[in-house]
Amino acid sequence: MKRKIIRALIVSLSMLSLLFQPITAQEKSKEELFIEKIAPFAQELARENDLYASIMIAQACQESGFGTSSLSQEPTNNLFGVKGLYNGQGKTFTTKEDDGEGGLYEIKSTFRAYPSYLESLVDYATVVLKKPIYYGAWKSNTNSYQQATKHLTGLYASDTKYFERLDNLIERFQLTKYDKETGTLVLPMPVIQTVAKTEVTKNEIICSEKGISEFERNNTKVLRDVYLSKK
């Protein structure tokens, strides 16, 4: 009988201790954790390549569903929905495209497959957005990130409300803080990596034929000494 009373007291005390525990900071959401994972690299890449880190992060969130889409998982690790091949590697998916008037239709496309998120981030910053058609999204050619997101709408994505989606993400997660200049990255488990030159696409060949020789040279630019935490 005494043992039962003692056990009841212990249970009661345990419940009271839980009730009066100090309130701790709310755990971070999966969305916030995803942003924190890619933000330092996006920030450094954007700084080196005349881009908005806020847009780069917002696009990764939008295109990959905060890293939950099939395309962003192994073995493709494609954060930005970039089509084509990467060093000969790609995978075909069925996607929905905007017809320019708000209507959707399905289409099968091959998307680049990357070894890791790092290659996806570097390819986006140093190759994809270096194409002349995206000049209006470069930081030096705009006065705000809003101008850049509007330029990407209809070019990078067929979604007629693409700029609204990106702007909402930037505001919701206060991503403009990553557009500020920072010092050297100091991250845990540093892994120095370089990224191989991406396979030349038809669009790049067209640009080269038009005499944009500097464009071809930009394709080989990589971010060296970048630190990447293991996935």
Side-chain angles (χ1 to χ4, degrees), residues 171-230:
E171 292 170 12
R172 176 185 171 189
F173 294 101
Q174 300 178 338
L175 300 181
T176 53
K177 62 186 176 184
Y178 297 112
D179 291 327
K180 299 176 182 178
E181 294 292 329
T182 59
T184 304
L185 291 174
V186 180
L187 301 173
M189 294 186 295
V191 179
I192 298 177
Q193 298 193 17
T194 58
V195 180
K197 183 180 183 296
T198 303
E199 190 168 292
V200 178
T201 65
K202 290 182 180 179
N203 287 337
E204 291 164 4
I205 292 173
I206 292 172
C207 289
S208 179
E209 289 175 348
K210 289 184 177 180
I212 309 176
S213 57
E214 184 62 29
F215 178 76
E216 282 296 310
R217 287 195 289 274
N218 283 338
N219 284 347
T220 63
K221 181 180 179 183
V222 296
L223 178 68
R224 292 182 172 84
D225 298 336
V226 64
Y227 296 95
L228 177 67
S229 298
K230 293 182 179 178

Side-chain angles (χ1 to χ4, degrees), residues 3-231:
R3 289 182 178 178
K4 290 183 178 179
I5 294 173
I6 292 172
R7 287 176 181 173
L9 285 171
I10 291 173
V11 171
S12 298
L13 289 171
S14 298
M15 293 179 68
L16 284 171
S17 65
L18 289 172
L19 182 62
F20 291 102
Q21 276 185 347
I23 298 174
T24 57
Q26 187 177 5
E27 291 185 5
K28 293 179 180 179
S29 66
K30 291 181 179 179
E31 290 85 356
E32 290 171 321
L33 290 174
F34 173 76
I35 289 172
E36 288 184 358
K37 183 176 183 179
I38 67 170
F41 317 117
Q43 190 172 28
E44 181 66 14
L45 282 162
R47 183 180 66 80
E48 292 289 335
N49 293 279
D50 192 29
L51 302 173
Y52 287 94
S54 57
I55 295 178
M56 191 172 180
I57 297 168
Q59 281 193 279
C61 294
Q62 174 66 29
E63 299 291 342
S64 74
F66 293 92
T68 63
S69 68
S70 298
L71 186 59
S72 66
Q73 304 297 311
E74 296 283 357
T76 44
N77 296 303
N78 192 325
L79 292 175
F80 299 97
V82 181
K83 297 177 181 179
L85 299 175
Y86 178 83
N87 292 337
Q89 300 300 310
K91 188 174 180 180
T92 301
F93 288 86
T94 299
T95 61
K96 290 183 178 180
E97 301 289 338
D98 193 312
D99 61 9
E101 298 180 354
L104 298 176
Y105 64 94
E106 289 189 346
I107 186 173
K108 285 188 177 182
S109 302
T110 299
F111 293 83
R112 298 182 185 183
Y114 302 99
S116 73
Y117 281 177
L118 174 61
E119 285 82 2
S120 180
L121 288 161
V122 174
D123 189 41
Y124 165 93
T126 63
V127 178
V128 179
L129 282 199
K130 283 299 180 181
K131 294 178 180 178
I133 61 171
Y134 296 126
Y135 78 96
W138 299 346
K139 208 168 184 179
S140 60
N141 293 332
T142 56
N143 295 319
S144 66
Y145 73 81
Q146 289 95 336
Q147 287 184 351
T149 56
K150 283 186 178 180
H151 181 82
L152 291 172
T153 302
L155 290 178
Y156 190 92
S158 58
D159 184 356
T160 53
K161 295 184 178 180
Y162 194 60
F163 71 96
E164 292 181 7
R165 302 186 199 285
L166 296 183
D167 291 352
N168 288 337
L169 286 169
I170 291 171
E171 292 170 12
R172 176 185 171 189
F173 294 101
Q174 300 178 338
L175 300 181
T176 53
K177 62 186 176 184
Y178 297 112
D179 291 327
K180 299 176 182 178
E181 294 292 329
T182 59
T184 304
L185 291 174
V186 180
L187 301 173
M189 294 186 295
V191 179
I192 298 177
Q193 298 193 17
T194 58
V195 180
K197 183 180 183 296
T198 303
E199 190 168 292
V200 178
T201 65
K202 290 182 180 179
N203 287 337
E204 291 164 4
I205 292 173
I206 292 172
C207 289
S208 179
E209 289 175 348
K210 289 184 177 180
I212 309 176
S213 57
E214 184 62 29
F215 178 76
E216 282 296 310
R217 287 195 289 274
N218 283 338
N219 284 347
T220 63
K221 181 180 179 183
V222 296
L223 178 68
R224 292 182 172 84
D225 298 336
V226 64
Y227 296 95
L228 177 67
S229 298
K230 293 182 179 178
K231 293 177 60 179

